Amino acid sequence: MSFGERRARAAQLLRRALLVLREDKALIILPLFGGIGLLLVFGAIAVLFSVDHQLLSYLQGESTEAEAAYIAFAFCFYFAVYFVVVFFNSALVAAVVDKLNGGRGSVLRGLGLAIVRLPQIVAWVAVSATVGVVLSFLRDRLPLGGGLIALFGGLAWSIATFFVVPVMVVEKVGPVSAIKRSVEILRRTWGEALMAKIGLTVGAAFITVPIALVLMGLIFVLPDQYRMYPIAALVVFCFFGLIIMTTLKMIVLAALYLYAETGKAPSPFNEDQLRAVVQQKGA
């Protein structure tokens, strides 16, 4: 299948995801909570560094104690960020899976199922944080090749773990089993899920980049007393754009996962479309 055909199928999946979101706009609340949670985490880090001006310099030191402190701090940072992302993505996937299976798919039900899956989520976040620390350490501490290793290692990790969230939510398995199942499902979807993510990113860029450029231009041309307005508009625009992209990606993931496992296309996704995307078990 050519790149153009894959891109077209990704666009079709995204249009179906938009139908799901249009039917139940409340689904966007969960990634919105996740975005607010991330802002709180980054805000807390900023406050910490502003209170202790020597902390950053100490963490960048080359002593054994500084390296140990750097690793501990990096792990806590990654754990906090990943926990917020994974928890609310899990809640969103749980709500979407319930809705696609004919249920109400409410926000409260999604949060309830994510809470039930807390042991799996915490275990997965710990593994992800460890990987993040290792890649960060390689990038920062190895002057030659560390950046490339971190780049390609991170890319391979993100691909291999693409279906981990729906696997954890539906199958209630631990991190190792979730990764194995994610790779298995990814092989049977012919990479279309990744194309959907890329297609969404490219499509969003065509819409958001011109608007962002206009707002950035206003920042430079307006008098100083008015620059705060386009700056605020740019921040809000980027924030909510990311929220919508996350919501659509999770809807597509949930639909592909359900079809890969059951062979039945959840409404409003088209069965012929999904059959062309997903290779069924035993095929």
Side-chain angles (χ1 to χ4, degrees):
M1 184 182 297
S2 67
F3 178 82
E5 291 173 326
R6 287 181 181 272
R7 185 177 57 184
R9 295 193 185 282
Q12 293 173 5
L13 290 174
L14 294 176
R15 281 194 290 268
R16 299 292 178 173
L18 278 170
L19 292 177
V20 175
L21 181 58
R22 188 177 303 169
E23 182 180 340
D24 190 353
K25 298 179 180 64
L27 291 173
I28 206 170
I29 292 176
L30 292 167
L32 179 60
F33 285 167
I36 294 173
L38 286 179
L39 291 179
L40 292 176
V41 171
F42 286 112
I45 297 298
V47 170
L48 178 62
F49 283 130
S50 65
V51 171
D52 190 345
H53 300 286
Q54 303 299 321
L55 178 59
L56 183 59
S57 298
Y58 176 73
L59 293 175
Q60 293 175 336
E62 297 182 357
S63 67
T64 303
E65 293 80 5
E67 285 200 351
Y70 168 82
I71 293 173
F73 180 85
F75 179 84
C76 292
F77 171 74
Y78 280 117
F79 189 94
V81 170
Y82 290 155
F83 180 82
V84 171
V85 172
V86 174
F87 178 81
F88 286 104
N89 280 352
S90 297
L92 176 58
V93 167
V96 172
V97 167
D98 183 55
K99 183 175 182 61
L100 294 179
N101 280 332
R104 295 181 58 188
S106 67
V107 170
L108 289 178
R109 177 166 176 77
L111 287 171
L113 288 174
I115 292 173
V116 172
R117 298 292 189 267
L118 267 179
Q120 288 76 29
I121 291 175
V122 170
W124 170 242
V125 169
V127 171
S128 298
T130 302
V131 172
V133 169
V134 171
L135 294 177
S136 177
F137 186 86
L138 292 174
R139 182 183 63 247
D140 297 338
R141 305 296 181 174
L142 296 181
L144 298 177
L148 289 177
I149 294 174
L151 174 64
F152 289 109
L155 180 61
W157 176 254
S158 65
I159 292 174
T161 60
F162 198 70
F163 278 102
V164 161
V165 170
V167 168
M168 283 196 308
V169 168
V170 177
E171 302 181 21
K172 198 178 179 180
V173 297
V176 176
S177 298
I179 295 173
K180 291 179 179 179
R181 293 284 293 116
S182 175
V183 172
E184 177 190 341
I185 296 171
L186 192 64
R187 286 173 179 169
R188 289 194 278 118
T189 60
W190 299 96
E192 299 293 337
L194 295 177
M195 287 302 302
K197 181 180 180 181
I198 295 171
L200 174 58
T201 303
V202 173
F206 279 111
I207 299 173
T208 58
V209 169
I211 299 175
L213 289 176
V214 170
L215 292 174
M216 292 175 65
L218 290 175
I219 294 173
F220 290 103
V221 301
L222 288 177
D224 291 346
Q225 63 268 31
Y226 298 113
R227 288 181 179 176
M228 60 177 294
Y229 299 110
I231 291 175
L234 181 61
V235 171
V236 172
F237 177 74
C238 292
F239 178 77
F240 282 100
L242 181 61
I243 296 302
I244 294 172
M245 287 177 61
T246 299
T247 306
L248 294 177
K249 186 186 77 171
M250 289 299 132
I251 292 173
V252 170
L253 274 179
L256 285 174
Y257 171 80
L258 287 175
Y259 187 75
E261 293 307 296
T262 67
K264 298 179 181 179
S267 178
F269 289 87
N270 182 275
E271 185 164 352
D272 291 336
Q273 174 194 85
L274 292 180
R275 186 185 299 116
V277 172
V278 179
Q279 179 186 14
Q280 293 302 308
K281 292 179 179 179

